[in-house]
């Protein structure tokens, strides 16, 4: 479900930002490369991205073509992962589905993160009433229990892939805004910001050149984690009939539709389920690894 | 003046502690020898990163294993090697026989326990007093360290106290069980001078009252001069000079000690013109120079200094110095060579 | 709170399309729509509508459901609200218990087999779609093992599976959170102080470590409660529990706007209340907050 | 002190609001700097000393308008900085620079040394683009960093070197006044001495004026011409170096001086140990702010605030204490 | 919130005990359904959930026997005393649940109510041929029609003919509790409580005039998730459910589960909105009809649990003709037709389908897939049942999937409401089909007392309906109920309505 992994990640620790950059930059890649879990995560993510890109080349069948005579076939050499309740090739659907699910995950995160970043930086940098206003808005957004907000948005806008993206993105905004605001507040207090201000730099320069790059790393971590939960939220929306429309082979929809066959043909839910799990785990591992690598405090 | 077991409460011999990091081994403490006489005060000075804190943590075996490890050496406390003790035995010694005050009064107290509880805790552990008795004792301790209205303060949380008060609470904790040895790691660095004066005065007074031996770690030479009987000067994990406090300030031997003393701007005498300085900077712990670590910055270094590490050897007047200058070897060497990076 | 009501209100009123038209149906003639508009008070200016909405809401009147024409408040509070609150509470309790346990075990045995396997489980718990987990639990525990009833509400047995479904993600988050918070705390100076006092490992972990590590975890529990309320939509559908979540989704599908408005408002208010409570307990737990 | 005043601070107050209550209203103020006036002449070094939290940095920041002052005037070369608009101030910043305490936090970790310096020049447009590289090399040479290190990142330097880069950045716009906020406090003694020497050098070379903020009286004695002692947002004593160290007038100054542990082993002085802590700047004590800790305090101190008054002596000295006033009367 | 938790915990305990004790006595029958009844007013919405619920508590003058014939129920006998008058003799020993007597007056009040234009009952269509109900004496009524109406007894057997207690009707008329919440009938069960969205509870009627049910109560539980329903049946938490075709095979294979299969008079269809272009063009409709492979539907979606439709009527409906020539499955021809209609590249459209029925959702998907080759891009919108009825009744749809059950087993019912121009919208003609010729034939079939003449009219009509294709007639599914823990006695009529009064629970 829509987790709130933002709470798990740190805001920038003032001591960490400038202070330990030394150890940080140099050993970042090393640390990341050493973190086996993160590498597994990265591998999973990359493989699925490639699969998504090359889905049309790789998919053996048309993902929406029904062959009712071949419904619910178990995995065979012809249909590697079997067929679903309408005789569609599950492998092909999963391959095409990766495009949609990843797009939903990534685009919604991107959209949400971007808006969140802008709001967060503005709130954190200018403070005072701007800050109060933006943070109140975020509080209000956060006050709507997770998926309810998405549901309400989808029900208002209508169910479609685009609207699912918008809905999920919407929910991401306060999360990101808060993190960025927090980081901005700490970065803002650092002396190099004052130094450049004393130089006579304009606010825009300070924000774009000096604050943004230094608040980005928690955002990157958060994004990878959020992509994972976006995929799950999207699939939950599908379950409730408010997600992407059939016959779009979105993973969540596949999982939701196949659930009546859990007992007689487990493979048609097993595979989408596994794939969601794998990708989400992949993003999570990668995100965790990124966080650890970016956090100079982790030893070993 | 040789040190024997009878008069010294703590004797550290050839202590070596390393950290094993991604970048390689950091020899944080690399051969440290000193001893503390009963009831006396030893000061350890040196620049940041010279291994002062790690030395003290090694004594109490409080290093973060497995990253940091004591590789060799002996820590003889009252005739027994602490490094050979079991975990349980160590627990009984910590806080009871040897206790410690840390640098940061802000972060060294548990924010979720009241000051009284934190003092009472070590009393209950070591003196097996019941809750009420321990509490009374801890209030008494607070009074002893000069905190006004101690009953009230005992019930407060650390955040409700100022930095100076917190450091007093730390002192109360560490002295609660009448330790024989108190290790104070930069006890006043985070405090203002007027507060620092209060705390140093307090420590001195309590030490006299209780007869505690004291080991003070600091980078402030003034503090050493005011507080200590003996001084160990550290550089890059090694003791480079170990002597009586008077000797160190009036007749320093090691070029590093000399440089250090000269580069401190003094508030009580006028220095015209520029300060005397030590050129260069402390080498990276990953990349220590061969030979004497101070050689690259040393104005009088010769070839042998760059090549071979000198021993910590006794000079004629009883000081111990780790420097070739005070060996017979020195005369045989040629001109000074400097190898500045 | 005002923001919340305003947001709920605006969401329902500023959406593309005319509520009256939607409610009156597409083929309705203009008079009918006008009539509907009047009934709903939609031809008053927006701010006035908002104030009457607030005025009524304060008096406990959230309007009448279009679907059942009963009062929204009685639809919500007669039983559904309590069912969902119960479910969410039990879910939270489960999540907290298991999350904390796992987190502590993991943190104290860093990089051990137990740690790694617990964290892998937590990761899976985090990655598992709710409904899928629910269906799997039904098949495993109800159909195959027969331990719990499949669906419905009433006895504590009914609560277990939905609560597990609901709490799993929370437990996973809490476990991960506890672990990292615990590890961070164990790095603090005051832990070293405790060791230097001669405190035993166990006592250091539970008395000094856990107490401080819990502080950030408590906030998560509060926020988790909101997520749980959201998750109730799914859980209640899978387990045929007639709570708020079902009401929301049914109302959304039926375009029963007063009902959607009411339920979402109630959820949001509940969330805010819970978080305020968490905030207070947080303060009690950690008086440092007062300083900032 | 015949020089024309480069900087004149008049009745500067800096109150920070404390938000509280349900609606985040301002419930109180931190009176960080409370009615402070002083002048800095061209080419001299004026230091501000005092305990932590007494308002030293706040004063420095207010002068540079990093935080806008609550009230008061700041005349720089006769022009009131407080009345300048944001963009006018931006132009003025060329003449006023600041060096910070933390050699880690004061440089953007994502910029190379040359980028840091170039950006400074770009903002103030002091040097045409094509000459910048040359100027950067010169600057670095001046502060003692080799030209081969021009494209390195801050983390590749030691603390002392980083502080030098900070100094180079401040110099890059040819300022007249540099505020050094604890510029050497974070450095090890051996490095601190190097940087102090450098600062002195530069002052001679570029005719700089320093406003030097520090809590280390040793450092202050070494570098300053005149010294301002602050306590809890107020100036308690202003004097030239000699007068201050040889004949401190204010009881606080005296206590401060005597509290510093001395390396002079042979001559032990009697120390004045103050009791208690510095009171909170939110509710400072009435009357003389030091009276709660002053060993010499008497009735009047609790009631009446002493004014800063000149005292006769060998040099320039001003004290805010009823004692000196009474002894004079 | 802690308090809330505590108290409700306490509350739930005794409840649990109650459940157990009552179960051991003689038990509760649990029927699970995907969606709640919109109403418990037998004159309200005409949908399966409402009909199933109200059929247990309210009775009609007549009833359908297992073989499809009409038999007396609350009447003892009925007769056609002249062309336009039916005489019904009533049972004398019957009391309503509130203790009042069942009599002719009650019959008149109930029938008048459903015919009352102010009530605007969606079910009025079933009985609106009645012109007057005349009370002859306490236990005799005459039901008069304008025109001769042959299938009158069959119509009165429908749920719409339910007789409601006069007290309840009066209470509603006086502004009191609505029938919806206070349905009082004569049936073997009486209304106990309705937890909207979750559960409807009926208790057995101890004073039932017939054989008193052998068990205590019925619980109709709303369980939206199909897999949850199946799981409940499997564990015995539910006794009866309508098994979706896709689950039949699996449910059949389960240990304790019995299967009850009834060939239905139901016809599932995809309907057009003839008021909305392009569906006002017969060619478009034909094209779509020809692009859909009904064999596929039966095999793929019904899993063989049904038969493909040739026309609008199932083979067991009186008046059907099975030698119709259905529009062939011919994708190329369909394309051509579409091109002729001016849509060579197809178009975009939306299909509505109600939530909770996997079959219909599947049909929608299949339609979507099968229309894709002729260029029609279909978007599926899943809508909650009550809203679905509202929207399609109001003609907001373009396409929708729905079924029609000929509950009277007579062609008149199977066709009149769906295709007569007087029945637009809610009454049944949701395709807004409007053809005077069809109206004429429908009227003829309705009024003629000669069955041959009727058959001829319906045959001709069926051909027109196939040609004009106001909807795509897909198939006639079987009604398959799965039962667990039931010994005997479940009766499901050809309309798919289950009757629980005769059920014997297993121990
Ligand atoms: N946990 C650790 N991992 C790796 N290296 C460490 C760790 N702790 C300390 N070190 C290294 O050990 C060396 C000695 O550190 P130590 O803390 O003893 O210095 P110090 O003399 O106490 O300095 P300071 O005056 O700054 O407190 C330093 O080079 C430091 O980088
Ligand atoms: N932005 C701010 N908001 C609120 N209070 C502030 C702010 N900046 C400083 N203060 C308060 O003003 C007082 C003076 O602070 P300032 O930083 O000027 O002290 P300082 O003399 O520089 O101390 P230090 O030696 O620790 O640097 C302190 O009590 C501080 O807490
Ligand atoms: Mg240290
Ligand atoms: Mg400062
Ligand atoms: Ni509670």
């Amino acid at each position: 479900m829509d987790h709130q992994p933002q709470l798990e990640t740190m805001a920038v620790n003032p001591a960490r930002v400038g202070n330990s950059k030394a150890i940080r930059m140099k050993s970042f890649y090393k640390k990341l490369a050493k973190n086996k879990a993160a590498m597994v995560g990265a591998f999973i993510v990359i493989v699925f991205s490639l699969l998504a890109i090359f889905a049309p080349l790789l998919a053996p069948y048309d993902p929406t073509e029904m062959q009712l005579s071949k419904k619910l076939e178990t995995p065979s050499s012809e249909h590697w992962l079997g067929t679903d309740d309408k005789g569609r090739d599950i492998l092909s659907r999963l391959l095409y589905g990766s495009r949609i699910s990843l797009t939903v995950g990534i685009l919604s995160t991107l959209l949400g993160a971007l808006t969140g970043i802008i709001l967060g930086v503005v709130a954190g940098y200018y403070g005072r009433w701007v800050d109060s206003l933006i943070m109140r808005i975020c509080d209000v957004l956060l006050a709507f229990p997770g998926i309810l907000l998405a549901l309400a948005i989808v029900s208002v806008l209508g169910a479609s892939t685009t609207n699912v993206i918008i809905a999920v993105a919407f929910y991401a905004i306060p999360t990101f805004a808060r993190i960025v605001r927090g980081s901005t507040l700490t970065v803002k207090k650092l002396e190099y910001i004052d130094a450049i201000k004393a130089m006579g730099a304009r606010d825009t320069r300070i924000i774009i050149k000096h604050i943004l790059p230094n608040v980005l790393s928690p955002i990157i971590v958060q994004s990878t984690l959020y992509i994972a939960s976006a995929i799950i939220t999207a699939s939950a929306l599908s379950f409730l009939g408010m997600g992407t429309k059939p016959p779009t082979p979105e993973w969540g929809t596949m999982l939701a539709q196949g659930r009546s066959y859990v007992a007689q043909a487990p493979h048609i839910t097993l595979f989408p389920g596994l794939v969601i799990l794998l990708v989400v785990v992949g993003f999570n591992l990668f995100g965790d690894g990124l966080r650890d690598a970016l956090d100079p405090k982790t030893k070993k | 003046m040789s040190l024997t077991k009878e008069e010294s409460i703590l004797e550290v011999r050839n202590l070596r502690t390393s950290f094993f990091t991604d970048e390689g081994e950091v020899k944080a403490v690399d051969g440290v020898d000193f001893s503390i006489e009963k009831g006396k005060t030893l000061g350890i000075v040196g620049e940041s990163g010279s291994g002062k804190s790690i030395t003290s943590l090694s004594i109490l075996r409080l290093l973060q294993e497995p990253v940091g490890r004591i590789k060799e050496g002996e820590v003889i406390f009252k005739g027994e090697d602490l490094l050979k003790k079991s975990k349980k035995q160590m627990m009984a010694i910590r806080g009871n026989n040897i206790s410690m005050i840390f640098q940061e009064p802000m972060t060294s107290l548990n924010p979720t326990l009241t000051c009284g509880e934190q003092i009472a805790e070590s009393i209950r552990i070591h003196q097996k007093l019941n809750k009420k008795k321990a509490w009374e004792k801890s209030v008494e301790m607070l009074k002893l360290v000069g905190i006004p209205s101690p009953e009230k303060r005992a019930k407060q949380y650390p955040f409700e106290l100022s930095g100076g008060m917190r450091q007093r609470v730390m002192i109360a904790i560490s002295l609660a069980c009448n330790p024989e040895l108190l290790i104070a790691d930069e006890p006043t660095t985070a405090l203002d001078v007027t507060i620092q004066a209060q705390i140093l005065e307090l420590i001195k007074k309590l030490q006299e009252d209780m007869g505690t031996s004291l080991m003070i770690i600091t980078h402030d030479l003034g503090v050493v001069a005011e507080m200590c009987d003996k001084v160990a000067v550290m550089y890059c994990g090694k003791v480079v000079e170990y002597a009586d406090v008077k000797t160190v300030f009036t007749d320093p031997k090691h070029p590093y000690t000399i440089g250090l003393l000269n580069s401190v701007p003094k508030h009580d005498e006028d220095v015209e013109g520029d300060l005397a300085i030590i050129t260069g900077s402390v080498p990276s712990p990953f990349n220590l120079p061969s030979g004497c670590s101070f050689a690259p910055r040393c104005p009088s270094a010769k070839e042998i200094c760059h090549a071979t590490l000198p021993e910590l050897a006794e000079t004629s007047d009883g000081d111990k110095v780790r420097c070739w200058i005070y060996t017979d070897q020195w005369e045989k060497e040629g001109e000074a060579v400097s190898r500045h990076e | 709170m005002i923001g919340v009501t305003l947001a709920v209100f605006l969401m329902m009123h500023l959406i593309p399309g005319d509520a009256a038209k939607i409610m009156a149906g597409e083929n309705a003639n203009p008079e009918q729509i006008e009539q509907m508009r009047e009934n709903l008070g939609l031809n008053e200016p927006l701010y006035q509508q908002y104030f009457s909405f607030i005025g009524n809401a304060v008096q406990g009147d959230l309007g009448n459901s279009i679907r059942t024409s009963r009062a929204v408040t009685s639809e919500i509070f007669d039983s559904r609200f309590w069912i969902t609150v119960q479910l969410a509470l039990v879910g939270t309790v489960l999540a907290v218990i298991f999350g904390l346990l796992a987190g502590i075990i993991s943190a104290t045995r860093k990089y051990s087999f137990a740690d790694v396997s617990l964290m892998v489980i937590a990761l899976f718990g985090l990655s598992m779609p709710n409904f899928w987990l629910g269906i799997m639990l039904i098949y495993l525990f109800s159909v195959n093992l027969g331990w719990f009833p499949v669906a419905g509400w009433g006895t504590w047995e009914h609560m277990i599976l939905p609560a597990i479904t609901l709490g799993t993600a929370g437990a996973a988050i809490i476990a991960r959170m506890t672990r990292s918070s615990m590890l961070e705390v164990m790095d603090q100076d005051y832990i070293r102080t405790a060791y230097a006092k001669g405190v035993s490992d166990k006592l250091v972990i539970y008395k000094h470590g856990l107490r401080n590590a819990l502080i950030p975890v408590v906030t998560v529990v509060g926020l988790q409660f909101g997520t749980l309320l959201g998750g109730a939509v799914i859980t209640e559908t899978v387990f045929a529990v007639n709570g708020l979540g079902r009401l929301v989704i049914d109302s959304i599908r039926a375009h029963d706007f007063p009902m959607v408005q009411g339920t979402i408002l109630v959820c949001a208010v509940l969330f805010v209340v819970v978080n305020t409570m968490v905030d207070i307990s947080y303060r009690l737990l950690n008086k440092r907050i007062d300083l900032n | 002190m015949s020089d024309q005043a480069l900087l004149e601070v008049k009745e500067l107050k800096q109150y920070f609001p404390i938000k509280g209550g349900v609606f985040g209203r301002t419930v109180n103020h931190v009176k960080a700097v409370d009615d402070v006036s002083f002048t800095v002449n061209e080419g001299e070094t004026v230091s501000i000393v005092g305990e932590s939290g007494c308002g030293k940095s706040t004063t420095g920041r207010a002068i540079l308008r990093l935080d806008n002052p609550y009230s008061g005037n700041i005349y720089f070369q006769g022009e009131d900085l407080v009345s300048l608009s944001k963009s006018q101030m931006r132009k003025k910043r060329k003449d006023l620079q600041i060096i910070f305490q933390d050699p880690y936090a004061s440089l953007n970790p994502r910029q190379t040394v040359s980028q840091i310096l170039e950006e400074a020049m770009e903002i103030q447009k002091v040097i045409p683009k094509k000459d910048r590289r040359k100027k950067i090399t010169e600057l670095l040479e001046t502060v003692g960093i080799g030209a081969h290190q021009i494209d390195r990142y801050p983390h590749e330097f030691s603390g002392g070197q980083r502080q030098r880069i900070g100094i180079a950045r401040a110099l890059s716009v040819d300022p007249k006044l540099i505020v050094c906020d604890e510029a050497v406090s974070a450095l090890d003694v051996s490095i601190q001495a190097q940087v102090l020497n450098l600062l002195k050098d530069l002052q001679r070379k570029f005719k700089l004026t320093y406003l030097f903020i520090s809590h280390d009286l040793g450092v202050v004695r070494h570098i300053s011409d005149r010294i301002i002692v602050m306590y809890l947002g107020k100036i308690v004593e202003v004097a030239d170096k000699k007068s201050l160290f040889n004949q401190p007038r204010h009881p606080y100054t005296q206590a401060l001086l005597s509290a510093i542990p001395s390396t002079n082993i042979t001559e032990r002085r009697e120390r004045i140990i103050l009791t208690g802590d510095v009171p909170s700047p939110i509710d400072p004590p009435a009357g003389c702010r030091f009276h709660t800790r002053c060993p010499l305090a008497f009735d009047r101190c609790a009631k009446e605030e002493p004014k800063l008054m000149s005292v006769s002596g060998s040099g320039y000295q001003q004290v805010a204490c009823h004692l000196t006033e009474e002894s004079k009367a | 919130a802690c308090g809330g938790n505590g108290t409700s915990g306490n509350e739930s305990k005794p409840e649990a005990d109650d459940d157990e004790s009552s179960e051991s006595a003689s038990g509760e029958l649990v029927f699970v359904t995907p969606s709640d009844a919109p109403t418990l007013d037998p004159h309200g919405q005409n949908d399966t959930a409402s009909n199933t619920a109200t059929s247990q508590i309210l009775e009609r003058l007549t009833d359908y026997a297992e073989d499809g014939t009409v038999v007396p129920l609350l009447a003892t006998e009925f007769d056609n005393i002249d062309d336009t008058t039916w005489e019904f003799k009533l049972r004398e020993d019957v009391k309503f649940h509130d203790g009042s007597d069942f009599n002719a007056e009650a019959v008149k009040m109930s029938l008048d109510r459903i015919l009352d234009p102010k009530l605007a009952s969606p079910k009025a269509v079933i009985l609106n041929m009645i012109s007057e109900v005349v009370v002859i004496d306490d236990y005799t009524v005459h039901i008069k029609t304008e025109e001769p109406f042959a299938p009158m007894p069959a119509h009165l057997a429908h749920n719409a003919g339910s007789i409601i207690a006069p007290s309840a009707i009066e209470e509603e008329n006086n502004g009191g509790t609505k029938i919806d919440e206070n349905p009082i009938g004569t049936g073997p069960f009486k209304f106990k409580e309705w937890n909207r969205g979750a559960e409807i509870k009926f208790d057995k009627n101890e004073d039932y005039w017939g054989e008193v049910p052998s068990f205590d109560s019925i619980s109709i539980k709303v369980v939206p998730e199909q897999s949850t329903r199946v799981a409940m049946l499997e564990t015995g938490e539910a006794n009866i459910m309508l098994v979706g075709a896709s689950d039949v095979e699996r449910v059949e294979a389960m240990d304790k589960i019995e299967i009850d299969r009834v060939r239905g008079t139901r016809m599932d269809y995809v309907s057009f909105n003839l008021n909305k272009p392009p569906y006002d063009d017969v060619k478009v409709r034909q094209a779509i009809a020809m692009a859909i492979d009904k064999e596929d539907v039966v095999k793929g979606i019904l899993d063989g649990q049904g038969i493909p439709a040739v026309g609008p009527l199932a083979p067991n409906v009186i008046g059907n003709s099975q030698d119709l020539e259905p529009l062939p499955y011919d994708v190329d021809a369909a394309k051509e037709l579409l091109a002729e209609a001016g849509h060579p590249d197809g178009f975009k459209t939306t299909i509505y389908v109600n939530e909770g029925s996997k079959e219909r959702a599947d049909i929608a998907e299949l339609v979507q897939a099968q229309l894709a080759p002729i260029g029609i891009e279909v978007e599926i919108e899943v809508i909650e049942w009550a809203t679905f009825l509202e929207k399609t009744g109001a003609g907001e749809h373009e396409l929708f999937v729905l079924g029609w059950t000929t509950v009277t087993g007579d062609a008149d019912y199977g066709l009149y409401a769906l295709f007569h121009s007087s029945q637009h919208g809610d009454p049944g003609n949701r395709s807004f089909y409007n053809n005077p010729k069809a109206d004429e034939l429908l009227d003829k079939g309705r009024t003629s007392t000669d069955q041959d003449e009727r058959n001829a009219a319906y045959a001709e009509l069926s051909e027109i309906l196939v040609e004009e294709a106001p909807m795509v007639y897909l198939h006639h599914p079987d009604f398959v109920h799965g039962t667990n823990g039931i010994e005997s006695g479940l009766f499901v009529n050809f309309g798919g309505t289950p009757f629980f009064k005769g059920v014997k629970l297993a121990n």
Side-chain angles (χ1 to χ4, degrees), chain E residues 194-207:
Chain E
W194 183 14
N195 180 1
R196 275 179 202 265
E199 190 180 22
I200 306 175
K201 280 200 158 189
F202 299 144
D203 278 343
K204 79 169 161 187
N205 177 8
E206 299 280 1
D207 304 320

Side-chain angles (χ1 to χ4, degrees), chain E residues 36-360:
Chain E
D36 197 10
T39 176
L40 287 183
D41 183 344
H43 299 161
Q45 291 283 14
N46 190 12
D47 70 289
T48 316
S50 301
N51 288 347
T52 301
T54 50
S55 293
Q56 315 305 321
I57 46 175
L58 298 137
E59 290 179 314
R60 305 143 303 277
L61 296 179
T62 53
D63 203 0
Y64 307 112
E66 208 156 336
D67 61 0
T69 55
V70 178
V71 293
L73 185 65
L74 284 178
T76 46
E77 54 188 283
F78 51 86
D79 216 347
N80 200 351
I81 51 175
D82 65 41
D83 255 8
T84 58
T85 310
W86 288 82
E87 182 180 83
F88 287 82
K89 290 270 182 212
L90 308 181
R91 242 174 227 288
E92 300 189 6
D93 53 347
V94 179
K95 285 197 186 309
F96 285 103
H97 299 152
D98 64 349
S100 57
D101 284 333
F102 164 76
N103 54 26
E105 192 55 40
V107 174
K108 180 173 166 56
M109 275 183 84
S110 288
L111 294 183
D112 282 354
R113 178 174 185 263
I114 189 171
L115 295 172
D116 185 353
K118 266 194 277 165
L119 185 71
S121 164
K123 288 177 181 166
V125 54
I126 295 167
L127 297 172
N128 64 2
M129 66 298 294
I130 297 173
S131 58
E132 196 185 2
V133 181
V134 185
V135 177
I136 302 301
D137 60 40
D138 263 4
Y139 294 101
T140 313
V141 280
H142 283 182
I143 295 177
K144 296 184 185 255
T145 54
E146 292 289 344
E147 304 283 330
F149 188 69
M152 193 71 231
H155 276 235
L156 284 169
H158 184 263
N159 182 269
S162 296
I163 307 300
I164 305 168
S167 58
I169 298 178
E170 272 158 19
E171 167 138 22
E172 181 181 75
N173 290 345
N174 296 337
T177 324
K178 294 216 161 102
I179 304 270
D180 184 23
E181 290 171 10
N182 182 32
I184 300 178
T186 60
F189 298 94
K190 49 189 186 188
F191 173 72
K192 184 172 175 219
E193 59 175 305
W194 183 14
N195 180 1
R196 275 179 202 265
E199 190 180 22
I200 306 175
K201 280 200 158 189
F202 299 144
D203 278 343
K204 79 169 161 187
N205 177 8
E206 299 280 1
D207 304 320
Y208 187 53
W209 56 268
E211 193 183 329
V212 177
S214 66
F215 57 96
D216 283 338
S217 56
I218 300 177
S219 159
I220 299 177
K221 288 189 171 152
V222 182
V223 180
E225 251 306 287
Q226 163 133 321
S227 27
T228 310
R229 286 200 301 279
V230 172
M232 287 176 83
L233 185 70
E234 192 172 358
T235 60
E237 247 171 84
N239 300 106
I240 303 174
M241 71 175 275
L242 181 66
V243 182
S246 57
D247 279 318
V248 169
E249 207 177 316
R250 170 166 151 244
V251 171
E252 233 168 354
M254 288 175 188
D255 267 354
K256 292 168 287 183
I257 314 285
E258 301 289 324
I259 286 291
D260 176 294
R261 177 179 281 112
V262 173
R263 283 249 183 254
T265 53
R266 176 188 188 79
M267 183 258 311
D268 277 325
Y269 61 87
V270 173
S271 174
F272 307 105
N273 184 349
L274 270 60
N275 280 349
K276 273 197 186 172
Y279 303 112
D280 51 353
D281 187 337
V282 65
K283 285 187 178 140
V284 173
R285 304 200 297 266
Q286 285 176 342
I288 289 178
M290 286 162 77
I292 294 175
D293 185 354
K294 297 174 189 173
E295 292 291 335
D296 257 7
V297 178
V298 174
K299 259 196 235 123
I301 287 159
L302 292 188
D303 269 300
Q305 310 291 329
I307 48 173
V310 291
L313 294 175
N316 52 352
V317 173
I318 296 163
N320 85 89
S321 61
Q322 288 303 306
D323 36 75
L324 287 170
E325 189 62 43
L327 287 174
Y329 170 59
D330 186 343
V331 178
D332 293 333
K335 260 190 202 150
E336 252 166 58
L337 275 172
L338 214 52
E340 281 173 37
H343 303 282
D345 303 321
F347 50 86
K348 272 192 186 174
T349 190
T350 308
I351 191 163
Y352 284 179
V353 59
N354 71 293
E355 168 212 358
S357 160
K358 186 173 179 304
E359 275 79 38
R360 286 193 209 139

Side-chain angles (χ1 to χ4, degrees), chain D residues 146-178:
Chain D
H148 61 285
Q149 289 167 317
I150 188 167
D151 287 320
R152 290 198 187 160
Y153 285 93
H155 72 254
E156 297 171 77
F157 293 96
S158 70
Q161 285 173 312
R162 266 181 259 201
Q163 207 61 317
R164 288 167 197 263
I165 297 167
I167 295 170
R169 174 177 56 197
L171 289 177
S172 66
V173 290
D174 289 331
K176 299 205 165 58
L177 174 76
I178 297 182

